[in-house]
Amino acid sequence: MKKQIWLWTVKIAAILLWAVMLFIPEMYASVEDINVVSLREVKTEKTTGSLKFFEIEFTDKVVKGEIMLSFLNEDGDVIFEKREKFSKNDSNVATIKIKSGHYAETAEYKIRNARVKSPVVNILSILNLFTSTLMLGLVLAVIRIDYEEKVIDGKTVGVYSGLIKHRVKIDGEKVFEGKWFTLFKGREVLLNASESKDVNVLFSAMNKIDFEVIDKPAKEEIKEEVKEEPKTEEKKPQKKKTTSAPKAGAKKVVSGASKKAKFQVKSTSKKQSNKK
């Protein structure tokens, strides 16, 4: 908010300064106070019944100006009025010519209004033309500068749009910066403002700022179904039974008999051989 107030203060000050510059020559002219000393008709080779020349004497040197004369009859009533300009003068006396068909009715004439410029005021006017034009460009540049703030989900989004530089800060941290100059085309920048919202910042062609808050889509947890593959039982190879006969002289041992039983069978066979 403070930045916005400061920016508007600068804009208003720039406009007021430019306005004051426009009236500097006029203000100096009012202080200078050049007055009319005398007004007289002069005869020249070009003078006719309908064309007359007048000389106006001033208290100081004048360069150019505008004089308004009133022509009156014998009763003091205004018959007609004429406004004439003069320029490129180099003394305190200026000459103007006025053409009219009512001179025959005219008894007197007088200056109703006179606006003149001294050499100093004339120089100030010329300089003021350039400086005010330059100042106008600066004023337009300052007016184009804009700053806006918006609070989104508790975070302050500050957007600055200058003549060339543009930037966006979120809680004081710069998240975007760009440099461009345009008069006819704006730009849009989509930024992450918080966990649940995005902000679409629009920099318009005239550098104005606009916000568009966009809700992010809700995050859905996608659970992948794990398909259990059927287990294949490994079949152990069966041992083949041997049916071959025992070798000659080999003693037959009963499967599953204990060692003691084997010993008894052997000892019995020895006793039988002794009896024989």
Side-chain angles (χ1 to χ4, degrees):
M1 190 64 181
K2 291 181 179 179
K3 292 182 179 179
Q4 290 174 310
I5 294 173
W6 178 85
L7 183 59
W8 275 107
T9 303
V10 171
K11 289 182 179 182
I12 294 171
I15 294 171
L16 291 176
L17 181 59
W18 175 70
V20 169
M21 288 185 65
L22 290 176
F23 292 101
I24 286 177
E26 298 294 333
M27 289 187 291
Y28 186 85
S30 63
V31 174
E32 198 174 38
D33 193 22
I34 296 177
N35 298 314
V36 176
V37 176
S38 64
L39 170 65
R40 60 183 177 270
E41 181 184 348
V42 292
K43 301 291 183 178
T44 67
E45 295 178 354
K46 297 181 180 179
T47 300
T48 63
S50 61
L51 180 62
K52 296 184 180 294
F53 292 83
F54 299 89
E55 282 186 353
I56 303 99
E57 185 180 355
F58 299 94
T59 55
D60 203 348
K61 188 177 180 179
V62 293
V63 176
K64 60 182 180 180
E66 185 179 75
I67 307 295
M68 185 173 182
L69 294 182
S70 296
F71 296 86
L72 301 86
N73 58 18
E74 293 180 353
D75 297 330
D77 298 327
V78 176
I79 302 172
F80 69 96
E81 292 181 330
K82 284 285 186 177
R83 187 186 299 273
E84 292 293 332
K85 295 180 180 180
F86 67 92
S87 61
K88 297 180 181 180
N89 199 66
D90 195 25
S91 66
N92 64 327
V93 177
T95 302
I96 61 173
K97 60 180 180 179
I98 296 176
K99 188 174 183 180
S100 174
H102 300 281
Y103 281 121
E105 305 169 22
T106 302
E108 62 175 326
Y109 45 81
K110 63 181 181 181
I111 294 176
R112 181 175 177 182
N113 189 16
R115 298 180 62 185
V116 295
K117 285 186 178 181
S118 68
V120 176
V121 174
N122 190 52
I123 291 172
L124 284 175
S125 299
I126 295 171
L127 292 175
N128 189 63
L129 178 63
F130 291 101
T131 54
S132 60
T133 303
L134 178 61
M135 189 65 186
L136 178 60
L138 294 175
V139 169
L140 293 176
V142 171
I143 291 175
R144 280 176 60 89
I145 298 173
D146 197 9
Y147 181 82
E148 295 290 340
E149 282 186 355
K150 181 171 283 192
V151 178
I152 301 173
D153 281 355
K155 294 184 177 182
T156 302
V157 180
V159 183
Y160 169 82
S161 180
L163 188 64
I164 296 176
K165 185 180 289 186
H166 306 76
R167 66 171 173 264
V168 181
K169 288 185 177 182
I170 298 178
D171 280 348
E173 181 181 354
K174 184 166 62 178
V175 295
F176 171 79
E177 185 174 42
K179 294 181 180 180
W180 67 81
F181 177 80
T182 182
L183 292 174
F184 306 105
K185 187 177 180 181
R187 291 196 182 185
E188 293 185 22
V189 179
L190 183 63
L191 299 169
N192 179 27
S194 64
E195 294 182 358
S196 61
K197 296 183 185 297
D198 288 333
V199 59
N200 187 33
V201 182
L202 171 63
F203 298 95
S204 69
M206 292 304 295
N207 262 22
K208 295 300 178 184
I209 299 169
D210 192 17
F211 288 89
E212 182 184 0
V213 181
I214 303 172
D215 293 327
K216 292 182 179 179
K219 294 181 179 179
E220 296 181 358
E221 295 182 358
I222 301 173
K223 296 182 179 180
E224 295 183 357
E225 295 182 359
V226 180
K227 295 182 179 180
E228 295 184 357
E229 296 182 358
K231 295 180 179 180
T232 55
E233 296 182 358
E234 295 182 358
K235 294 182 179 180
K236 296 181 179 180
Q238 295 180 355
K239 293 183 179 179
K240 294 181 180 180
K241 296 181 180 180
T242 55
T243 55
S244 58
K247 294 180 179 179
K251 295 179 181 179
K252 187 177 180 180
V253 180
V254 180
S255 177
S258 63
K259 292 181 179 179
K260 187 175 180 181
K262 292 179 182 178
F263 179 75
Q264 289 177 354
V265 171
K266 188 175 180 182
S267 58
T268 304
S269 60
K270 283 183 179 181
K271 287 179 181 181
Q272 287 179 354
S273 62
N274 290 333
K275 286 179 178 181
K276 288 180 181 180

